[in-house]
């Protein structure tokens, strides 16, 4: 074994970037004040293979049997879908999210379902076994084969896992466990990476599906889940506005499925409930017949979801007008405001503009452009968008309306919820089989769309 040496290194606690000297701003993720000093031991690589492990062999692709890729459904269909259709053997999944958003609740509900038939081990490194038991009672679950372990030392966790050999493993959370091989404190970049690395190797060797929880941290002294994104198979983020009961589970990386899928949940007093019909819920509190409100169909993975966009345009009392957006990219709003100025002739420069997606949803597809444009115009003109009209399309810089993906899916969902008019890009309207209850109104330019919406077209 090579001689062990210790040296110190500075790591960015947000993204894991490492540097031999301290820096005020991370050159990788641009975060300020995120560098912390850590001691690392060099010489023997702790992430290297153990001496007892055999070296890997070269294999021919054809000879590798794929029959082991049997997915196991956990019974929470929103979670299964986001995972790509169930849990893959040996998969290593990171669930990130703000503290208190419901990560522990979601995983406890998942392993409780799995624990009905198979052995599941839930390692609780933050709460005591009693706390988890009380939570399980509240969730009204009593799985036969769910085992709890309140432990923070990685070596001991690995030992227990090998003895119990569970079918599923949950580590809650990765930031609170530590390995004795590294001197830095639990939660530091090197601890988090090393612990995750060792758990990952166990998962791959034994085919044990593993879920780890990672809190998104604001405090620079604890490493966030981003430092692990590159090594794990699947990264899910649990998002939501603490003021709203809705939570969205989003895949940002998935080696076993699409990254576009989302799962929608509602936090209730008996835990997370699946929301199977998100459109109805997102539209439930819609301010109908009020200027600035527009319904769009956004495609989240394979699922069309109807959401309400709200815009408020009011004259700015002071020199610089404000642009505030929630759930939508800022730059998109600026671009659409510029299109309204130049191509439609609306003067918005001296106005404060607020745009919001109702229900705390985030939208990042270009198909929402025409909806945002319509909401802005509606608020500015103080004219309502007809209440049973749905809008989608991408807006180009010349004010042209461009085609978007999967128009049929969107139209069918809108018709299902009782919408009877749909404004869509002209190039999308050919060869479409739409339900008879909905009238398609193809448009080529932003100007045309606004005339249809507000001039009684
Ligand atoms: P938790 O799963 O502990 O969050 P995380 O692990 O992401 O930090 O969720 C905590 C929040 O969820 C807490 O504010 C209480 C709320 N909650 C409910 O509203 N109902 C419930 O049945 C449970 C278990 C939690
Ligand atoms: Mg928790």
């Amino acid at each position: 074994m090579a001689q062990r040496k210790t040296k110190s290194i500075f790591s960015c606690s947000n993204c894991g970037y490492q540097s031999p000297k301290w820096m005020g701003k991370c050159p990788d993720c641009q975060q300020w004040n995120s560098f912390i000093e850590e001691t690392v031991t060099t010489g023997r690589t702790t992430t290297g293979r153990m001496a007892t492990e055999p070296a890997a062999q070269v294999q021919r692709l054809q000879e590798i049997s794929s029959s082991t890729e049997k997915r196991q459904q956990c019974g929470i269909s929103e979670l299964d879908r986001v995972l790509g259709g169930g849990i893959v053997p040996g998969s290593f999944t990171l669930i990130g999210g703000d503290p208190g958003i419901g990560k522990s609740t979601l995983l406890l509900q998942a392993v409780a379902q799995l624990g009905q038939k198979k052995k599941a081990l839930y390692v609780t490194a933050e709460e005591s076994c009693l706390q988890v038991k009380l939570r399980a009672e509240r969730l009204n679950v009593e799985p036969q084969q769910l085992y709890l372990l309140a432990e923070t030392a990685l070596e001991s966790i690995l030992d227990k896992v090998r003895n119990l050999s569970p079918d599923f493993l949950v580590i809650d959370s990765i930031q609170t466990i530590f390995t004795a091989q590294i001197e830095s404190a639990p939660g530091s970049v090197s601890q988090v990476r090393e612990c995750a690395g060792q758990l990952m190797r166990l998962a791959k060797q034994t085919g044990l599906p593993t879920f780890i929880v990672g809190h998104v941290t604001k405090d620079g002294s604890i490493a966030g889940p981003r430092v692990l994104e590159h090594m794990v198979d699947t990264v899910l983020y649990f998002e939501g506005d603490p003021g709203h009961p809705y939570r969205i589970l989003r895949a940002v990386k998935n080696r076993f499925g699409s990254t576009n899928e989302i799962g929608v949940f509602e936090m209730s007093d008996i835990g997370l409930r699946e929301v199977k019909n998100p459109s109805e819920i997102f539209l439930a509190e819609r301010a109908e017949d009020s200027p600035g409100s527009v319904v769009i169909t956004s495609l989240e993975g394979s699922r069309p979801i109807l959401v309400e966009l709200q815009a408020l345009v009011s004259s700015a009392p002071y020199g610089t007008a404000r642009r505030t957006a929630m759930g939508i990219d800022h730059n998109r709003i600026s671009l659409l405001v510029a299109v309204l100025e130049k191509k439609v002739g609306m003067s918005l420069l001296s106005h404060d503009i607020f745009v919001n997606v109702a229900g705390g949803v985030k939208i990042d597809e270009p198909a929402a452009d025409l909806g945002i444009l319509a909401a802005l115009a509606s608020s500015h003109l103080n004219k309502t968008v007809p209440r049973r009209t749905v809008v989608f399309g991408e807006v180009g810089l010349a004010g042209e309306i461009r085609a978007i993906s999967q128009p049929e899916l969107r139209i069918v969902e809108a018709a299902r919820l009782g919408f009877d008019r749909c404004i869509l890009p002209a190039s999308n309207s050919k060869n479409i089989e739409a339900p008879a209850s909905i009238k398609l109104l193809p448009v080529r330019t932003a100007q045309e769309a606004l005339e249809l919406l507000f001039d009684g077209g």
Side-chain angles (χ1 to χ4, degrees), residues 37 77 161 211 253 275 434:
E37 184 173 11
S77 57
V161 172
F211 290 87
K253 166 180 175 182
V275 176

Side-chain angles (χ1 to χ4, degrees), residues 161-416:
V161 172
R162 289 198 184 95
N163 284 341
L164 183 71
S165 61
D167 299 306
F168 301 94
L169 174 67
V170 170
I171 307 284
D172 187 0
S173 68
I174 191 75
Q175 282 127 333
T176 40
I177 64 171
F178 68 96
T179 166
Q181 289 173 354
I182 289 187
E183 282 165 31
S184 47
S188 63
V189 176
S190 37
Q191 275 288 359
V192 164
R193 276 200 181 143
E194 178 62 26
C195 291
Q198 294 210 28
L199 287 163
M200 172 108 171
R201 262 200 314 283
L202 180 78
K204 297 296 162 198
Q205 279 163 10
T206 59
L208 168 67
T210 306
F211 290 87
I212 57 174
V213 170
H215 296 290
V216 171
T217 53
K218 302 278 182 291
D219 169 18
S221 62
I222 295 178
R226 273 195 62 191
V227 306
L228 297 176
E229 280 182 2
H230 65 283
M231 56 194 287
V232 303
D233 294 321
T234 304
V235 181
L236 308 180
Y237 276 96
F238 208 31
E239 306 169 344
D241 187 0
H244 285 100
Y246 304 114
R247 303 280 181 268
I248 291 176
L249 186 67
R250 195 183 289 275
V252 298
K253 166 180 175 182
N254 195 351
R255 287 186 181 145
F256 311 113
S258 152
T259 52
N260 296 319
E261 295 293 355
I262 64 161
V264 184
F265 296 89
E266 182 184 2
M267 182 62 93
S268 71
D269 51 355
I270 51 159
L272 289 159
R273 261 206 301 258
E274 293 179 65
V275 176
K276 297 252 166 74
N277 48 357
S279 302
E280 285 165 34
I281 292 208
F282 292 141
L283 295 185
E285 293 170 334
R286 187 181 168 208
E288 286 182 352
D289 299 329
S290 118
S293 156
V294 172
V295 176
I296 62 157
T297 39
S298 164
L299 204 64
E300 297 284 354
S302 54
R303 226 168 27 153
I305 295 182
L306 271 74
V307 286
E308 181 192 355
L309 288 179
Q310 299 177 323
L312 189 63
V313 178
S314 70
S315 54
Y318 309 109
T320 38
R322 285 202 293 167
R323 305 275 185 265
T324 310
M326 283 200 313
I328 295 183
D329 178 23
H330 249 87
N331 299 323
R332 216 68 217 164
I333 309 279
S334 306
L335 188 151
L336 294 166
V337 168
V339 169
L340 278 174
E341 288 263 355
K342 279 289 228 193
K343 303 292 164 187
V344 185
M346 268 181 207
S347 170
L348 297 173
L349 264 189
S350 57
H351 287 75
D352 282 339
I353 291 178
F354 306 92
V355 181
N356 181 28
V357 186
V361 190
K362 280 201 188 101
I363 291 186
D364 60 358
E365 59 160 4
D369 286 359
L370 189 55
I372 304 171
L373 192 98
L376 290 169
S378 163
S379 176
H380 183 62
L381 300 170
N382 207 23
K383 287 187 181 175
T384 56
V385 170
R387 77 164 80 155
R388 302 246 159 261
T389 301
V390 70
V391 173
F392 57 79
E394 180 178 351
V395 178
L397 288 185
E400 82 279 17
I401 308 297
R402 298 170 158 267
I404 46 92
S405 63
Q406 312 257 33
E408 259 164 347
L409 271 181
R410 301 173 199 254
I411 295 168
V412 169
E413 174 74 359
R416 193 177 73 78

Side-chain angles (χ1 to χ4, degrees), residues 97-106 126-127 135 138-139 172 213 215 238 267-272:
D98 290 332
I101 204 76
K103 301 178 294 298
S104 306
T105 310
L106 177 69
E126 285 178 3
E127 298 170 56
R135 184 189 298 231
R138 192 139 53 89
L139 300 175
D172 187 0
V213 170
H215 296 290
F238 208 31
M267 182 62 93
S268 71
D269 51 355
I270 51 159
L272 289 159

